Amino acid sequence: MENPRFSVIVPVYNRIDEVRDLMESLSRQSLKNFEAIFVEDGSTLPCEAAIKEFPEVDARYYYKENEGRSIARNYGMERARGDYFIFFDSDCVIPPDYFRILTESLDAAPTDCFGGPDAAHESFSDTQKAINYSMTSFLTTGGIRGGKVSLEKFVPRTFNMGFSRRVYDKVGGFREMFSEDIDMSTRIRNAGFEISLIRPAFVYHKRRVDFKKFLRQVYVFGMSRITLKLLYPGSLKLVHALPALAVIIGVLLLLLGIFCSPWWLLPLGVYLLAIFCSALVATKSLSIALKAVPASVIQIAGYGCGFIKAFFLKIVLGRGRDVNEEVMMRKGK
């Protein structure tokens, strides 16, 4: 049997319904030159039955004890047969022409590592669409997640990332840490491989379903950026510190507005109005635009506070990278 060109690797932890949606989207691919490998990471609600509902997909299922999503991805790579490893999150839905677009792009311009952006599917809730806006808008993230305008070099994320077997043989697998995809991309770039953005090869990413879970996620992202700075001293850029700066400025403006003059609140109001108008134009939905405002505040404040806390603890106080803290937080999934 001829090996597939691509091996799709998906770590799973108690996500039966999401896996079913992902499998359905894989079953609808216009070009099926891939295998799908699902690694159940110690789930109490296994998804094997949901995978078997789609026999037209060349899929394999593995169950292992809970060790973290990076270990699960590495477990999948060890068993993959493809020339390229593709990584999706279990909460992704893949457009039907994804692998056709990816194949044509790699044939026209070969590259060893690549990724694409994400978008909100029409079936997603307004909250999910608002969170998607806040994670992809230039006004909130500087376009670092595959936007058309960006303040930083493109870094693939594991909701839509791929690299060749040659990269794996030289660089190895993922580290079990927060922002493991950024760490992996940095190691790939440092090893001399090219990293490319294939913008037409996007995925639909469901993200968090409520603001509380979203806050925890971005808070962890902010903390992990300092860990990455300790691992790679030259990796920290101004764009990464902007949310922390925004938190400091925002608090100062609030205090001045409360104790001095309400006019100090005007810059905050103008910025939030800009987010609302931008989201309204982008999504053409008043409901999503209204939710995009608190989602963006959570995005910036959560990330910024995590960044500030980690900067103070790990750099100012010199505690370095607290691996145990990261592992304990990861156990919460």
Side-chain angles (χ1 to χ4, degrees):
M1 179 178 178
E2 184 179 355
N3 287 341
R5 185 171 187 181
F6 303 106
S7 291
V8 175
I9 298 167
V10 183
V12 182
Y13 184 79
N14 290 338
R15 300 291 182 94
I16 296 177
D17 292 337
E18 291 181 351
V19 167
R20 183 176 287 110
D21 290 343
L22 172 56
M23 280 295 294
E24 182 177 4
S25 69
L26 291 176
S27 72
R28 298 177 183 273
Q29 290 299 303
S30 58
L31 184 59
K32 295 182 180 178
N33 54 349
F34 64 89
E35 64 174 352
I37 299 173
F38 288 83
V39 182
E40 192 97 59
D41 187 35
S43 299
T44 57
L45 300 172
C47 67
E48 185 175 14
I51 293 172
K52 289 182 176 180
E53 292 176 16
F54 303 90
E56 64 271 31
V57 179
D58 178 11
R60 285 183 283 152
Y61 170 87
Y62 298 95
Y63 186 96
K64 59 181 291 299
E65 66 179 43
N66 178 240
E67 294 179 285
R69 61 193 178 202
S70 291
I71 306 302
R73 291 190 184 102
N74 295 341
Y75 187 95
M77 283 191 286
E78 291 171 358
R79 290 154 179 79
R81 296 178 291 131
D83 298 323
Y84 289 91
F85 303 140
I86 309 294
F87 302 94
F88 297 140
D89 286 344
S90 59
D91 59 353
C92 288
V93 174
I94 315 304
D97 286 331
Y98 179 92
F99 284 97
R100 179 187 62 78
I101 292 170
L102 182 60
T103 298
E104 292 175 355
S105 297
L106 290 176
D107 288 344
T111 184
D112 278 298
C113 180
F114 49 88
D118 60 337
H121 192 270
E122 60 182 13
S123 66
F124 293 178
S125 71
D126 285 356
T127 298
Q128 288 175 312
K129 292 176 181 178
I131 290 174
N132 183 79
Y133 167 85
S134 72
M135 291 290 282
T136 57
S137 171
F138 180 80
L139 290 176
T140 54
T141 63
I144 63 176
R145 303 176 74 88
K148 294 182 180 180
V149 180
S150 179
L151 297 179
E152 185 194 30
K153 287 183 178 179
F154 172 67
V155 177
R157 313 293 172 122
T158 45
F159 59 77
N160 185 9
M161 177 182 186
F163 51 76
S164 66
R165 184 175 291 274
R166 192 164 71 102
V167 167
Y168 174 63
D169 290 340
K170 183 172 182 179
V171 178
F174 291 89
R175 289 176 176 167
E176 181 56 26
M177 58 180 289
F178 290 120
S179 296
E180 70 280 4
D181 43 11
I182 301 177
D183 169 74
M184 187 66 172
S185 296
T186 303
R187 288 158 52 205
I188 290 172
R189 185 171 274 123
N190 289 347
F193 294 104
E194 179 186 8
I195 297 179
S196 300
L197 166 62
I198 304 178
R199 188 170 284 114
F202 68 93
V203 302
Y204 297 114
H205 195 191
K206 296 179 183 177
R207 300 195 182 281
R208 296 301 184 260
V209 296
D210 60 57
F211 287 151
K212 183 178 180 180
K213 292 179 180 178
F214 181 48
L215 174 60
R216 181 184 181 279
Q217 180 187 42
V218 293
Y219 179 81
V220 167
F221 285 168
M223 292 191 68
S224 65
R225 178 51 67 177
I226 298 301
T227 299
L228 290 166
K229 190 268 181 196
L230 295 174
L231 287 171
Y232 310 102
S235 66
L236 188 63
K237 308 298 181 184
L238 176 61
V239 65
H240 304 137
L242 287 179
L245 182 61
V247 168
I248 295 171
I249 294 174
V251 171
L252 289 175
L253 289 175
L254 282 174
L255 292 175
L256 290 170
I258 294 171
F259 296 107
C260 296
S261 169
W263 286 104
W264 285 104
L265 300 177
L266 182 61
L268 293 176
V270 170
Y271 179 65
L272 295 179
L273 179 61
I275 289 176
F276 170 79
C277 293
S278 173
L280 185 61
V281 170
T283 66
K284 298 178 175 60
S285 168
L286 179 61
S287 173
I288 298 172
L290 288 172
K291 289 188 174 185
V293 175
S296 298
V297 171
I298 290 171
Q299 154 75 22
I300 295 170
Y303 184 102
C305 288
F307 184 100
I308 292 169
K309 176 184 177 181
F311 183 87
F312 181 75
L313 292 177
K314 299 183 179 184
I315 295 181
V316 176
L317 297 184
R319 294 185 183 179
R321 179 184 170 209
D322 190 342
V323 177
N324 291 329
E325 177 188 28
E326 292 195 357
V327 171
M328 289 302 292
M329 293 182 73
R330 283 293 287 274
K331 290 299 182 183
K333 294 295 179 182

